[in-house]
């Protein structure tokens, strides 16, 4: 079986058109061009992209804001054509690993209460529900669940990251992908 390489790297202004294209495919245009420019220019924002040398398009992206000692995950998106192949896991792992490397103590995010696939993914990575934001999503007034992952700098968390890397790698290999880190 041939394995295709995947690479996760920081996105830049050169990737802006691909970012907007992926945003439209996943969210119908959630963020604007100016919104993504601000993310790319901000020293408090990490916007990661998932690429394959065999494709010219951006396959997925994830973003978090560094707020004091918290990583607030704002975007996690995989192109619909690549769903259920482990790429969401790879991006989430990479966001958490980057947050750890930046000395963040915990991670948080909001997720649609109806998005069971995303909730399952986050729970698999240790996120726990901490609350609910009523009518958070403006497009349909849906509630958001607030999820938290604590103790990113705890000495035992390194072993957890290593376990997650194995889980992510195994899942990707089942779909003939191999993750490269830069």
């Amino acid at each position: 079986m041939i394995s295709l390489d995947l690479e996760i790297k920081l996105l830049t202004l050169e990737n802006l058109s691909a970012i907007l294209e992926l945003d439209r495919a996943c969210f119908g245009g959630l963020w604007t061009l100016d919104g993504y420019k601000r993310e790319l220019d901000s020293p408090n924002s990490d916007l990661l992209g998932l690429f394959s040398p065999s494709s010219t398009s951006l396959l997925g992206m994830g973003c978090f804001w560094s707020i004091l000692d918290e990583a607030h995950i704002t975007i996690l998106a995989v192109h619909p054509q690549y769903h259920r192949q482990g790429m969401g896991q790879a991006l989430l792992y990479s966001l958490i690993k980057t947050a750890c490397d930046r000395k963040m103590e915990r991670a948080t995010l909001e997720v649609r209460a109806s998005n069971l696939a995303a909730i399952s993914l986050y729970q698999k990575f240790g996120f726990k529900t901490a609350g609910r934001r009523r009518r958070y999503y403006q497009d349909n007034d849906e509630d958001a669940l607030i999820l938290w992952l604590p103790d990113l700098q705890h000495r035992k968390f390194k072993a957890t990251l290593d376990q997650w890397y194995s889980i992510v790698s195994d899942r990707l290999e089942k779909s003939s992908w191999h993750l490269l880190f830069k």
Side-chain angles (χ1 to χ4, degrees), residues 16-84:
L16 201 48
S17 62
I19 292 168
L20 289 169
E21 185 179 316
L22 182 63
D23 180 283
R24 281 189 296 274
C26 295
F27 305 120
L30 180 65
W31 286 7
T32 64
L33 174 76
D34 287 339
Y36 280 111
K37 279 183 181 175
R38 278 191 304 275
E39 293 305 311
L40 293 168
D41 289 338
S42 173
N44 297 319
S45 182
D46 283 271
L47 187 55
L48 305 178
L50 181 65
F51 296 90
S52 174
S54 65
S55 172
T56 58
S57 61
L58 177 63
L59 306 182
M61 65 182 169
C63 182
F64 74 84
W65 297 335
S66 299
I67 304 172
L68 299 175
D69 60 355
E70 296 173 8
H72 187 107
I73 297 172
T74 57
I75 292 277
L76 184 65
V78 172
H79 193 284
Q81 163 179 348
Y82 297 98
H83 281 187
R84 307 196 63 74

Side-chain angles (χ1 to χ4, degrees), residues 4 8-9 16 28 30 37-38 40 54 90 97 99 102 105 110 119 121 129-130 146 149-150 156 172:
L4 300 171
I8 294 180
K9 56 187 177 183
L16 201 48
L30 180 65
K37 279 183 181 175
R38 278 191 304 275
L40 293 168
S54 65
K97 173 85 169 69
R102 288 194 60 171
E105 294 287 337
E110 289 91 9
I119 293 166
L121 171 64
T129 303
I146 304 164
L149 177 65
K156 292 182 180 178
L172 288 170

